[in-house]
Amino acid sequence: MFKTKEGRDLVAALKREVDRGLRARPVSLGLTGQLFLEIDYVDPAKNPPLEITWKPKHLYVPSAPSMMSRVESAVASISDTLEDINKANIADAIEDVREVAQNLSTFLKNADTGEISKHLTGTLDEAEKFITRINQLLAAPEVDNLMPDVAVAARNMRMVMESSSGDIVAAMKDIRKASESAKNVTGGMEEYLSGPKGKQTLADLSKTLNNISEASDRIKGAAARFESTLSRVNMTVAGQQGNIEAILDNVRRLMENLRELSSEAKQYPAGVLFGDPPKKGSSGE
């Protein structure tokens, strides 16, 4: 039927009428009368067609709420408004306003009205001078030349903000996510450090740092002694050429000691840095 020219014209005409506000709605004869469907024109802006995901096989006229449902919705809205008014404690608000008015009346009776009038007059005079100064500034020709530049700058700023609004929103979301992640990490770290494991870790770290400091001091002392030895060797070589072989023998022994120390450091580095190695258990354990 709708494949012919007359059918297509009928569908197009019906669509135009629907755009104008043609709707189908239930109507009852009185409060308890017979219910029937009425085809009528309503405000299309207040009664938009229901969005559907399927294509009707026949002519389709969108529906509109019935007058009874609108009355029920209006009554419910009025009831909610009255309930909100009751919750707002209007009587208390009126009492507060009455108290403020009484305090203001008492203040005006006890205050020096002449002094207040004098201050108000001075304030108005200053305001008038300020407005006059503003008018003089705005009347200057430089302002007329500046206004187009300000308008162009504002328009460019608006274009920049509109073009980068998506990036700004995305950046703010990323910043919010990063802040939440940092807050979670900080909270987890604080929770861990305040627990027994965190306290034990801090204590162990403190001991380790102390051991490293002591080892550094020992290494510095050894380096200083080694440097002193080399100085004495140089002095001895320069002053006593005949005892070079003895001095070289001492140096050879020193190198052997250093080699043993290096071997011990490779086998048990913790002992060299932090102290003596743990005692070995007996064969019966």
Side-chain angles (χ1 to χ4, degrees):
M1 171 182 178
F2 303 117
K3 295 182 179 180
T4 61
K5 183 178 183 301
E6 291 79 6
R8 290 193 296 269
D9 293 341
L10 178 61
V11 172
L14 181 60
K15 185 177 183 307
R16 288 194 298 270
E17 298 303 318
V18 168
D19 294 337
R20 290 178 53 196
L22 184 65
R23 300 290 186 271
R25 60 183 177 182
V27 177
S28 61
L29 297 176
L31 295 176
T32 59
Q34 186 177 5
L35 185 68
F36 61 92
L37 288 178
E38 177 186 47
I39 303 296
D40 196 3
Y41 287 92
V42 296
D43 187 357
K46 297 181 180 180
N47 299 271
L50 180 66
E51 295 183 0
I52 57 177
T53 58
W54 46 274
K55 185 176 181 180
K57 297 174 61 176
H58 305 287
L59 294 176
Y60 171 70
V61 178
S63 62
S66 64
M67 186 61 66
M68 186 61 67
S69 64
R70 290 184 177 182
V71 171
E72 292 176 355
S73 177
V75 171
S77 177
I78 294 173
S79 176
D80 294 338
T81 303
L82 293 176
E83 185 177 357
D84 293 338
I85 292 175
N86 291 331
K87 292 180 180 179
N89 296 326
I90 299 299
D92 295 340
I94 294 175
E95 185 65 27
D96 294 338
V97 173
R98 185 181 296 112
E99 183 178 355
V100 171
Q102 291 177 355
N103 294 333
L104 182 60
S105 177
T106 304
F107 172 76
L108 292 176
K109 288 180 181 179
N110 298 329
D112 188 357
T113 55
E115 188 68 21
I116 294 175
S117 176
K118 181 179 179 181
H119 286 296
L120 289 176
T121 303
T123 303
L124 292 176
D125 290 339
E126 293 294 333
E128 184 177 0
K129 292 178 182 179
F130 178 75
I131 294 174
T132 303
R133 179 60 178 166
I134 293 296
N135 291 331
Q136 291 177 356
L137 292 175
L138 293 177
E142 292 82 2
V143 176
D144 295 335
N145 297 330
L146 184 63
M147 292 306 295
D149 297 334
V150 173
V152 173
R155 184 167 58 253
N156 293 335
M157 180 63 69
R158 183 169 60 252
M159 293 175 60
V160 171
M161 293 299 295
E162 291 176 354
S163 61
S164 60
S165 59
D167 297 334
I168 293 175
V169 172
M172 293 301 296
K173 290 182 179 179
D174 294 337
I175 292 174
R176 188 178 297 110
K177 290 180 180 178
S179 177
E180 292 176 355
S181 300
K183 187 183 297 181
N184 295 332
V185 171
T186 303
M189 183 64 69
E190 291 179 353
E191 183 179 358
Y192 174 77
L193 292 178
S194 61
K197 292 184 178 180
K199 293 180 179 179
Q200 184 63 34
T201 301
L202 291 176
D204 295 340
L205 179 61
S206 178
K207 292 179 181 179
T208 302
L209 292 176
N210 290 333
N211 293 332
I212 292 174
S213 179
E214 293 177 358
S216 177
D217 293 338
R218 290 199 297 269
I219 292 174
K220 289 180 180 179
R225 290 193 296 271
F226 183 71
E227 184 178 0
S228 178
T229 301
L230 290 179
S231 298
R232 289 197 299 270
V233 167
N234 290 332
M235 292 175 62
T236 302
V237 170
Q240 299 179 2
Q241 294 293 332
N243 296 327
I244 292 178
E245 293 182 358
I247 292 172
L248 292 177
D249 185 59
N250 291 332
V251 172
R252 188 181 300 107
R253 291 179 182 179
L254 177 61
M255 294 302 295
E256 290 178 356
N257 292 333
L258 291 176
R259 189 181 299 108
E260 291 178 358
L261 179 62
S262 175
S263 177
E264 182 179 357
K266 289 181 180 179
Q267 295 178 0
Y268 187 67
V272 176
L273 294 176
F274 306 115
D276 296 334
K279 297 181 179 180
K280 295 182 178 180
S282 61
S283 58
E285 294 182 355

